[in-house]
Amino acid sequence: MTRDEVIAKWNSMQPRERDAWIAVDVMGKKKSAFRDGWISTGDFEHCPKPYTTDIGTAWEVTQKYPIMALARSQIFEISPVEYSCTFWNEADAEPIEVLASTAQEAVCLAALITVLTQGEGIEE
């Protein structure tokens, strides 16, 4: 996926759908075979954690994926209604920066772009 495709899909989703997307593509969980938007852990199915609405849970995202373990991340408030999250991967020359209305959304969207464009380079 390109950066623009990831952002377009993100913008078309509700927070619960985004949480499921993060759980599967970033956190490595399995989709539920029976319930849309749920994840599966062994024989147990449940809603994913609130990655996109809880900053503590969103912070788990930066610790999970190997590409992010190698990255430095920076989150800061640009204005009262906009946050930025930037990941620098040692393998890439260009940082991945994302702006969003909350810090947790910025973290999650930056993580998705980092993970889903890994190895392809980010196409604008």
Side-chain angles (χ1 to χ4, degrees), residues 19-82:
D19 292 337
W21 193 16
I22 293 291
V24 172
D25 286 348
V26 177
M27 303 303 284
K29 307 292 183 182
K30 293 182 181 177
K31 287 183 183 180
S32 167
F34 304 104
R35 293 183 132 169
D36 193 36
W38 283 41
I39 58 174
S40 176
T41 307
D43 292 336
F44 181 66
E45 294 191 348
H46 54 91
C47 290
K49 290 182 176 182
Y51 298 107
T52 61
T53 56
D54 178 71
I55 191 63
T57 307
W59 199 249
E60 292 176 24
V61 170
T62 66
Q63 307 302 310
K64 173 63 179 166
Y65 208 79
I67 193 170
M68 289 172 211
L70 299 173
R72 295 176 291 139
S73 61
Q74 177 181 14
I75 304 168
F76 60 93
E77 184 177 5
I78 295 173
S79 72
V81 294
E82 192 168 66

Side-chain angles (χ1 to χ4, degrees), residues 3-34:
R3 177 188 178 102
D4 290 340
E5 290 169 337
V6 173
I7 292 170
K9 182 175 177 180
W10 177 269
N11 289 336
S12 73
M13 301 172 102
Q14 295 298 315
R16 200 164 174 97
E17 295 171 310
R18 293 173 179 173
D19 292 337
W21 193 16
I22 293 291
V24 172
D25 286 348
V26 177
M27 303 303 284
K29 307 292 183 182
K30 293 182 181 177
K31 287 183 183 180
S32 167
F34 304 104

Side-chain angles (χ1 to χ4, degrees), residues 65-107:
Y65 208 79
I67 193 170
M68 289 172 211
L70 299 173
R72 295 176 291 139
S73 61
Q74 177 181 14
I75 304 168
F76 60 93
E77 184 177 5
I78 295 173
S79 72
V81 294
E82 192 168 66
Y83 290 81
S84 170
C85 179
T86 305
F87 287 107
W88 288 271
N89 181 318
E90 292 176 5
D92 295 330
E94 294 295 319
I96 296 172
E97 181 177 11
V98 172
L99 301 176
S101 60
T102 66
Q104 53 271 25
E105 286 183 22
V107 167

